[in-house]
Amino acid sequence: MRSSVFLLCVVGLSLTQIQFSSADLVDQTCKQTPNYDLCVKTLRADPRSSKADVTGLALVMVDTIKAKATATLDRINGLLGTTPDPKTKAALSHFVELYDNAVLKADIPSAIEALKKGNPKFAEQGINDAANEADSCDRAFGGASPITSFNRNVSDLSRVASAIIRLLS
Amino acid sequence: MADPNPARTFNDPEDPIIAATVPDHYSPLLDVDPPAGENSRRPLKGFLVILSGLLLVGLLMALIGKSGPSVSQKTDLTLNAPAESTNISAQFLEPVSRGPSAGVSEKSFRLHSGVRAPFPWSNTMLSWQRTGYHFQPEKNWMNDPNGPMFYGGWYHFFYQYNPDAAVWGNIVWGHAVSKDLIEWLHLPLAMVADHWYDTNGVWTGSATLLSDGQVIMLYTGATNESVQVQNLAYPADLSDPLLVDWVKYPGNPVLVPPPGIDDRDFRDPTTAWYGPDGKWRIAIGSKVNKTGISLVYDTEDFKKYELIEGVLHAVPGTGMWECVDLFPVSLKEDNGLDTSFNGPGVKHVLKASLDDDKNDYYAIGTYSLESGNWTPDNPNLDVGIGLRYDYGKFYASKTFYDQNKQRRILWGWIGETDGESADIKKGWASVQSIPRTVVFDKKTGTNILQWPVEEIKSLRKSCKKFDKLEVGPGSVVTLELEKATQMDITAEFEIDKEALKRIGESDMEYSCSTSGGSAQRGELGPFGLLLLADEGRCEQTPVYFYVAKGTDGQLKTFFCTDESRSSLANDVDKRIFGSTVPVIKGEKLSMRILVDHSIIESFAQGGRTCITSRVYPTKAIYGAAHLYLFNNATSANITASIQTWAMKSAYIRPYSSHAF
């Protein structure tokens, strides 16, 4: 009985050891980004992070941006259907195009390919663009709109991803 | 974008159906701010009934689909939904805005009054951006120039290309040929990623022409495990002057990263030069920690290589060296030299593209075949810390020896500086610089001179001359011109001697990039030309000289391009850049500018300092673009003599047998 408890403790401890050493990479990497908390929270939420190298962590971050951009796109599409003001509508349409054609169809796939194929500088371009597009969307609405937090999430995540990608070159 | 319901008059824009469907897409990886909770409470039972009803409808909507039509369906249903439920659903299902007024209602959000909406690029504006006479494929993304050479009576040009999109990805080798470096015929792709050793990228490489007529192409492949290796390829049929088909050596890769070099820091093999003992030599850029280096290999057959001990050269702190280039320049003659040339009266230029700052740096020095090292003439101006080929947007450049006209010719990749979304909309990204001849600057001994190839003159038409125009301080002169979007301009300036004598010393060192651009007035500058300017000059791109006395009492001349007002759009880069340019006593200040829609290439003092700029005006396009001469100095009178030519567009089309 005691030996099995002991064995369990050893196994449990070794598991936590493994957890600690990969958490170190997450920790180390996130310290070099402009938003440590967001970085750690995002990476730890994804099971891939525990076994990933820095490229892998960058990919996790890019996948998160993809998910968030998709959510933003859907939100904007929704607002587009209900907003009466034509100027606002026009701006929203522009952002739909931005998030759909630019961020989701080009920036993100290009960044993922660049990371997977070992040419991270082209990933940096795409992600920086995603941050810029999210920022311009945010600025247009003066930082107070139903999509503000969506835009800011995309922007913040992109800046973190960009910092991680820069570590690769 | 289609407006699903333009006739809608329903006041409350809050749409609970949308809110209810958000959870299907929203990945809750981030903590949601707790609801502000200032909304008034509703009867719980009524709310639950309504909420479950809405959720049910929402589920139905999600099943039907998320595109345009379903949006209008959602809004139709909202017409029936009671207004009071909306705030509560929003509270539970989406993060509250972090704006100053927490929980801002959907009703009240508007475009911020003080901020412009992001620029709505029209197709007219975007299609104007395409160049008239710079090399670019018909569509999609391009980057580094590859394997340029003259063979079989044709100039060959290869390039990194994405056949599928206007962003980087799926990289293959594009190919085009020309008789004059100006008119091009697009050929089929030369190489694609079809082997394990280049499946993740057919990247940059260079050509070597052997005296027996063989053509050697070495290029970097990214393997299936993303290891950077060097591969050998050669034409399938040397009797085909167009070299359409290429064969990859079955024994590839011929080089893998050596010990101590990271798998991802080993790329861009150079043209080979003849070494001692009848062997060939190539250089490959890399880095060790933060020190940029160039490795050198010996080979006899381009299949087996021997790493030479040490490095060609290394400069600490410069990071990864991409697209390394080493070539000789004659100190006395005006012609270019074959890459293998060496001897007295020759110096070697070593160049690297720095991954860290995306600029191309060069240094002049001496290459010793015996020691295998290259040493800079001036260690303070070593590779990566000294002179740049170009002070604007210009990267991954590569030279080749044109044995046809005995010139050394430089190609540079000019990327976009607008947003990627605009590139995607317009369907293309990047152009190449107009090929430039490269010679040693005998007058300064410290620079090389770059100049657009002579053949570009074949596009010139309708010359206009403006002789000795006097421009007082703070004035603008209109130069009447048609087609100010495709131009070749040469200009000479003289500053009045009195002003030169009067000028006081400055305790601040001027720099193009930290200055206020053309709006920052000094005693002896800025003065120059306003390109792509509309009549009201809301949009303008000044290219100018600024002369000042430095802290050492010496007159210094700066050559800058100011993009800060180049466009009303706020989603494009608008930088001010440039550098000092050496001016020999007695020289007039001279500039040459090639304007070609969204690219401006500027050359000062015969090409001692060059600046390439990408601009994306929204108004100063087509017939609305004009050329002005300006003098924004406070003290000096300027005398300017200008020649302008309208430029025809170059024939750059896919090859067809009818072309002959």
Side-chain angles (χ1 to χ4, degrees):
Chain A
M1 183 60 197
R2 242 190 260 160
S3 52
S4 41
V5 170
F6 175 70
L7 209 61
L8 264 168
C9 288
V10 169
V11 172
L13 264 172
S14 22
L15 283 172
T16 55
Q17 288 307 323
I18 293 165
Q19 190 67 5
F20 271 128
S21 43
S22 44
D24 281 342
L25 184 62
V26 169
D27 186 67
Q28 275 171 43
T29 306
C30 289
K31 280 193 174 132
Q32 303 184 69
T33 71
N35 196 331
Y36 175 82
D37 287 336
L38 176 65
C39 176
V40 168
K41 201 186 298 180
T42 309
L43 291 176
R44 291 234 171 99
D46 190 303
R48 290 175 289 169
S49 302
S50 56
K51 293 192 195 118
D53 57 6
V54 180
T55 302
L57 295 179
L59 281 163
V60 169
M61 197 57 72
V62 173
D63 274 350
T64 311
I65 296 169
K66 183 175 175 182
K68 197 62 194 172
T70 308
T72 312
L73 178 63
D74 289 338
R75 188 76 184 112
I76 300 174
N77 266 323
L79 292 172
L80 197 58
T82 64
T83 306
D85 174 50
K87 269 196 191 149
T88 312
K89 254 187 163 39
L92 285 173
S93 300
H94 173 83
F95 293 125
V96 165
E97 217 182 294
L98 224 79
Y99 272 104
D100 192 14
N101 286 340
V103 178
L104 285 166
K105 286 190 181 139
D107 291 341
I108 302 282
S110 180
I112 292 174
E113 187 182 338
L115 285 168
K116 285 187 174 163
K117 293 186 178 181
N119 209 328
K121 80 161 163 283
F122 293 109
E124 205 183 325
Q125 270 189 312
I127 295 303
N128 285 342
D129 192 64
N132 289 335
E133 311 293 16
D135 281 349
S136 77
C137 190
D138 188 36
R139 272 199 308 270
F141 294 103
S145 80
I147 47 172
T148 293
S149 53
F150 283 83
N151 285 326
R152 289 193 183 170
N153 280 333
V154 172
S155 174
D156 292 343
L157 287 166
S158 300
R159 291 185 199 289
V160 169
S162 183
I164 298 177
I165 291 165
R166 251 173 281 131
L167 297 173
L168 293 167
S169 50
Chain B
M1 286 306 294
D3 183 342
N5 202 345
R8 227 187 113 104
T9 53
F10 184 67
N11 269 334
D12 187 349
E14 174 76 39
D15 189 345
I17 305 304
I18 306 303
T21 55
V22 162
D24 294 318
H25 319 292
Y26 177 54
S27 320
L29 287 175
L30 307 163
D31 280 340
V32 167
D33 291 341
E38 75 258 33
N39 295 313
S40 46
R41 297 183 189 281
R42 308 287 172 192
L44 188 63
K45 192 179 182 183
F47 157 68
L48 280 172
V49 168
I50 291 160
L51 181 61
S52 37
L54 292 171
L55 277 171
L56 203 65
V57 174
L59 269 166
L60 273 170
M61 290 297 102
L63 284 168
I64 291 165
K66 307 175 197 90
S67 55
S70 57
V71 171
S72 61
Q73 282 180 46
K74 286 170 189 168
T75 56
D76 285 337
L77 282 159
T78 312
L79 278 165
N80 302 321
E84 63 249 22
S85 61
T86 58
N87 285 338
I88 292 164
S89 319
Q91 204 177 319
F92 276 84
L93 295 168
E94 61 162 322
V96 170
S97 306
R98 283 189 255 136
S101 47
V104 65
S105 147
E106 311 272 322
K107 274 187 268 214
S108 64
F109 94 93
R110 285 287 182 271
L111 285 173
H112 196 247
S113 56
V115 179
R116 267 198 294 256
F119 206 81
W121 291 101
S122 69
N123 284 328
T124 311
M125 293 169 193
L126 292 177
S127 56
W128 174 88
Q129 291 171 10
R130 214 167 151 84
T131 66
Y133 55 89
H134 281 71
F135 180 85
Q136 53 180 131
E138 293 183 285
K139 56 177 181 168
N140 293 335
W141 166 278
M142 165 172 68
N143 54 294
D144 304 6
N146 297 154
M149 60 178 177
F150 182 82
Y151 178 86
W154 291 90
Y155 288 99
H156 287 261
F157 181 70
F158 304 86
Y159 54 97
Q160 299 280 280
Y161 179 61
N162 183 350
D164 302 327
V167 292
W168 183 91
N170 314 304
I171 294 295
V172 297
W173 273 38
H175 185 192
V177 289
S178 169
K179 286 286 189 185
D180 64 356
L181 292 167
I182 299 297
E183 320 238 294
W184 292 89
L185 297 170
H186 294 303
L187 292 177
L189 301 176
M191 293 198 286
V192 297
D194 52 8
H195 285 79
W196 69 268
Y197 50 75
D198 61 14
T199 189
N200 277 334
V202 190
W203 291 344
T204 292
S206 310
T208 307
L209 300 176
L210 306 187
S211 49
D212 62 3
Q214 282 188 76
V215 177
I216 301 291
M217 193 70 84
L218 288 172
Y219 71 96
T220 300
T223 68
N224 55 349
E225 293 179 349
S226 292
V227 176
Q228 290 168 9
V229 298
Q230 314 313 322
N231 300 311
L232 167 65
Y234 39 83
D237 178 7
L238 283 169
S239 68
D240 168 23
L242 297 182
L243 301 180
V244 172
D245 296 306
W246 289 77
V247 169
K248 294 176 185 174
Y249 169 55
N252 278 334
V254 295
L255 271 176
V256 298
I261 294 295
D262 194 278
D263 287 350
R264 294 184 180 197
D265 295 337
F266 185 64
R267 54 186 180 271
D268 312 332
T270 63
T271 295
W273 62 92
Y274 221 53
D277 312 324
K279 292 186 192 161
W280 290 93
R281 266 191 194 169
I282 60 162
I284 300 178
S286 185
K287 71 171 163 102
V288 175
N289 296 322
K290 272 275 159 197
T291 300
I293 65 170
S294 171
L295 302 165
V296 189
Y297 287 86
D298 264 352
T299 182
E300 290 184 56
D301 57 1
F302 293 93
K303 293 169 182 169
K304 287 198 179 53
Y305 294 78
E306 200 188 305
L307 178 62
I308 294 178
E309 216 184 296
V311 292
L312 174 66
H313 194 57
V315 180
T318 52
M320 176 68 189
W321 282 12
E322 300 191 291
C323 304
V324 166
D325 198 4
L326 177 73
F327 59 89
V329 287
S330 170
L331 299 179
K332 300 219 173 68
E333 311 299 330
D334 292 330
N335 51 282
L337 299 172
D338 182 279
T339 311
S340 295
F341 203 93
N342 208 340
V346 164
K347 278 204 194 278
H348 275 74
V349 175
L350 178 60
K351 167 259 168 186
S353 292
L354 294 197
D355 200 11
D356 287 354
D357 74 6
K358 312 285 188 290
N359 291 313
D360 283 4
Y361 291 83
Y362 77 92
I364 302 173
T366 310
Y367 174 60
S368 157
L369 216 44
E370 293 79 48
S371 71
N373 297 126
W374 174 92
T375 349
D377 283 352
N378 182 350
N380 292 324
L381 295 178
D382 208 341
V383 176
I385 61 173
L387 299 173
R388 283 165 49 177
Y389 272 155
D390 192 295
Y391 290 86
K393 182 83 175 168
F394 189 92
Y395 195 65
S397 61
K398 185 181 289 298
T399 65
F400 74 102
Y401 177 60
D402 166 17
Q403 72 274 22
N404 182 39
K405 292 194 173 176
Q406 291 171 8
R407 307 180 282 192
R408 170 91 13 203
I409 299 197
L410 172 71
W411 283 95
W413 165 39
I414 319 294
E416 300 296 309
T417 60
D418 63 355
E420 273 194 13
S421 55
D423 299 344
I424 290 147
K425 199 170 175 188
K426 71 197 190 196
W428 62 271
S430 301
V431 302
Q432 297 290 331
S433 62
I434 292 295
R436 304 172 181 178
T437 53
V438 175
V439 293
F440 177 74
D441 181 12
K442 288 178 262 188
K443 292 186 189 155
T444 61
T446 53
N447 290 55
I448 51 151
L449 299 172
Q450 300 162 61
W451 201 244
V453 289
E454 280 295 295
E455 290 92 327
I456 189 106
K457 291 181 178 169
S458 65
L459 298 177
R460 284 176 169 177
K461 58 176 186 170
S462 43
C463 176
K464 268 197 180 176
K465 268 192 184 170
F466 305 86
D467 233 2
K468 298 218 183 335
L469 295 174
E470 300 269 335
V471 196
S475 32
V476 177
V477 177
T478 309
L479 302 171
E480 301 289 350
L481 279 172
E482 42 171 84
K483 210 161 184 204
T485 55
Q486 281 180 216
M487 289 195 291
D488 187 354
I489 308 170
T490 58
E492 261 182 7
F493 300 88
E494 273 181 281
I495 305 175
D496 80 82
K497 296 199 169 48
E498 287 307 309
L500 274 171
K501 285 192 206 141
R502 270 197 314 261
I503 185 176
E505 255 174 50
S506 165
D507 54 359
M508 281 273 287
E509 193 70 17
Y510 182 86
S511 143
C512 299
S513 48
T514 57
S515 74
S518 59
Q520 179 177 324
R521 309 185 69 183
E523 286 180 67
L524 301 180
F527 58 87
L529 297 169
L530 300 180
L531 308 158
L532 297 175
D534 63 310
E535 236 176 271
R537 293 197 299 278
C538 303
E539 290 183 335
Q540 48 171 278
T541 305
V543 174
Y544 61 90
F545 286 111
Y546 185 98
V547 181
K549 223 177 219 180
T551 47
D552 58 358
Q554 296 295 314
L555 275 178
K556 253 188 181 169
T557 307
F558 297 84
F559 182 57
C560 320
T561 297
D562 178 1
E563 294 176 347
S564 63
R565 283 176 290 172
S566 59
S567 174
L568 294 175
N570 53 12
D571 52 358
V572 300
D573 282 2
K574 293 191 221 178
R575 287 180 286 182
I576 303 166
F577 34 44
S579 169
T580 53
V581 55
V583 179
I584 306 293
K585 210 177 174 91
E587 276 182 355
K588 290 198 187 124
L589 295 179
S590 69
M591 55 168 81
R592 181 171 178 193
I593 305 177
L594 294 175
V595 181
D596 189 5
H597 298 260
S598 60
I599 182 171
I600 297 173
E601 289 188 70
S602 310
F603 306 82
Q605 302 312 100
R608 244 173 237 155
T609 295
C610 312
I611 308 173
T612 301
S613 171
R614 298 300 311 274
V615 290
Y616 308 91
T618 63
K619 285 174 125 181
I621 60 178
Y622 299 109
H626 304 292
L627 174 70
Y628 298 88
L629 166 64
F630 82 99
N631 174 11
N632 209 19
T634 56
S635 173
N637 288 303
I638 302 295
T639 309
S641 295
I642 301 166
Q643 266 198 311
T644 68
W645 293 265
M647 295 293 267
K648 293 183 278 194
S649 294
Y651 185 96
I652 303 177
R653 303 280 152 78
Y655 167 79
S656 77
S657 49
H658 299 298
F660 301 95

